[in-house]
Amino acid sequence: MTTSSAPEPVPVPIRVLLPGDQEVVAHLWSRRQAGDGWRYEVGLPAYRNGPGDSVEPAEYRVWVRAPQHVRPVDGVSYDAVPTEYLEPPSPVKKALGPSRPSGWVLAKTGGRGPGRAGVVHTVDCAEAPAGTPVLPLDQALGAAEQPGVRLCSLCGAAQVL
């Protein structure tokens, strides 16, 4: 038995699609936002056995998914239906601090041909030369494998790569 002093909400009509392509008008009691969509608490009209051999009207309440199983009734406002929304996700704090810009810079230090020397920097490194083309990850890894090329220790290119 509940002792809540809040009155139960007044239901509004809603169309419920049943198995076998049946459709009935039921009572909409509340709605709830779920991670994969909305659920509607509907009261389906039914009968139950009463005293003796009597039969009396009843209501069977069940949660159904929207929009697969419910449709609005034309001209009915659903603004007063008790609605439970999901809490917005809390901001996630980045464990490693702010993200760095993506990309790599190869600073050539001299020489020609496959044996030329150079230094690979992150794109935001203070030692990265300005105006040098930004390399994607696969090209930066390829450059780092070349003889005479090293990874900058100031910006941590070795740890990031």
Side-chain angles (χ1 to χ4, degrees):
M1 174 193 280
T2 60
T3 58
S4 173
S5 61
E8 188 166 41
V10 176
V12 294
I14 193 159
R15 295 187 187 284
V16 178
L17 307 174
L18 300 175
D21 294 327
Q22 298 177 60
E23 184 177 296
V24 297
V25 176
H27 292 138
L28 175 60
W29 289 95
S30 65
R31 55 189 171 184
R32 178 182 301 156
Q33 185 180 22
D36 62 346
W38 284 88
R39 304 286 187 273
Y40 284 67
E41 182 187 20
V42 297
L44 297 168
Y47 290 102
R48 67 175 168 219
N49 294 329
D53 289 338
S54 69
V55 176
E56 53 190 38
E59 181 178 76
Y60 174 69
R61 286 197 191 180
V62 63
W63 287 93
V64 295
R65 292 184 66 176
Q68 297 92 332
H69 302 115
V70 293
R71 302 281 187 270
V73 173
D74 291 339
V76 174
S77 172
Y78 296 96
D79 295 339
V81 175
T83 304
E84 183 180 329
Y85 296 97
L86 286 178
E87 291 185 28
S90 60
V92 178
K93 294 182 180 177
K94 294 186 179 184
L96 301 176
S99 61
R100 300 176 80 164
S102 61
W104 309 91
V105 175
L106 175 61
K108 298 179 183 175
T109 56
R112 292 189 180 258
R116 67 178 179 254
V119 180
V120 176
H121 300 275
T122 59
V123 74
D124 62 343
C125 180
E127 297 292 317
T132 307
V134 176
L135 304 174
L137 178 62
D138 60 334
Q139 290 180 4
L141 288 170
E145 293 176 346
Q146 298 299 318
V149 174
R150 66 180 184 82
L151 302 175
C152 177
S153 57
L154 177 65
C155 64
Q159 289 82 11
V160 178
L161 279 174

